[in-house]
Amino acid sequence: MEKFIDYSYTRVSDDIALILEKKVSDDWRCNIWHIQGSEKDLIIDTGLGLWPLADGIIRISKKPIIALCTHSHHDHAGGLNQFNVRSGHIDELDIFAKPSRESTVATLIKAEHLIEKPNDDFNINNWCMKPAPITDPVKEGDIIDLGNRIFQIIHFPGHSPGSIGIWEKKTGVMFTGDTLYDGVLYDHLYHSVPTVFKESLFRLKEFPIRTIHAGHGPSFGKEKMFQIIEEYMSGKRSMVCPYKT
Ligand SMILES: [Zn+2]
C-alpha cells in the first residue's frame, strides 16, 4: 500500500489536523485541514492535487469524508477530484466543473514553487487542475454536520465570488481560506472585487472569533485578525495598494 509520504500531517488540536504538501514551496502551498467528527470527516481545501491525498486520509480515518473547498483556485481545489463527496460554493460551480488555467489562476504558479515535480514530464507552465464537479453545493447559512461538530457556511465574496468561511460557533473557530491569512491579501485577481472583499472583512470582524485557521500560513486569534484587517484597510496588505504606483 502506498504511504502518505507526499504530505506532512500535524495535529493542531484533538480533532483538527493540518496537512501540507511537502513538495510545494511554503509561500504557495495552501493549508489542508482534516477535521475528524464522530460520524463524518471534513477536509477543508485539497492543495494542488499533484500527489495522492484522498488515499492517505482514508487510511487515517474510516469515516465518510466530505471534501469542501473554500474556493476554486488551483492551490486549494487541485486535489478535489480525488474525493467522492465534493463541496464548494454555488457561485463557482462552473470553475470546479470546467477549470482552466485562467479561471483557477494557475497562470500564477511558476516552476520555482515546486520543490519536486510529480514526474519528469510534468510542466507547471501548461498544467491545469482536473475537473471536480461539485456533488454537494453550499451557500450562505448551510450546515455541515459531522455528528459531534456543526459547521456553518459563511459567504465571504471578494477574493473570488464563491469564497467561503467555515464557522464553528461552539468553539469560535473560523476557517477563512484566502479571505484572511497573515500575509498580503490577493484582491487583484480577475474575479476579485476589492470593495466586496472589504465588506467581507468587515463582516468577519463581527464573529466572536477565538481561532482563525487560515488558507495559508499560521493560525491566529482575534487580536491578530483585527491587526491584519486594519493593515489591509490602510493599504499595507493589499495587492491593489493605494500607495504604490
Ligand atoms: Zn485564492
Side-chain angles (χ1 to χ4, degrees), residues 21-48:
E21 297 151 297
K22 285 184 189 169
K23 297 165 189 170
V24 182
S25 64
D26 284 348
D27 63 343
W28 211 264
R29 64 186 180 188
C30 87
N31 290 332
I32 302 167
W33 299 99
H34 181 198
I35 302 134
Q36 293 185 274
S38 59
E39 288 170 26
K40 290 179 186 174
D41 280 14
L42 179 61
I43 296 292
I44 297 177
D45 285 332
T46 59
L48 296 171

Side-chain angles (χ1 to χ4, degrees), residues 5 32 87 111 131 145 177:
I5 51 170
I32 302 167
S87 203
D145 186 350

Side-chain angles (χ1 to χ4, degrees), residues 51 68 77 102 121 171 177 236:
W51 302 274
L68 167 66
E102 288 72 26
D121 299 331
T171 57
K236 284 180 200 156

Side-chain angles (χ1 to χ4, degrees), residues 71 73 76 159 178:
H71 61 302
H73 290 162
H76 296 258
H159 171 74
D178 280 355

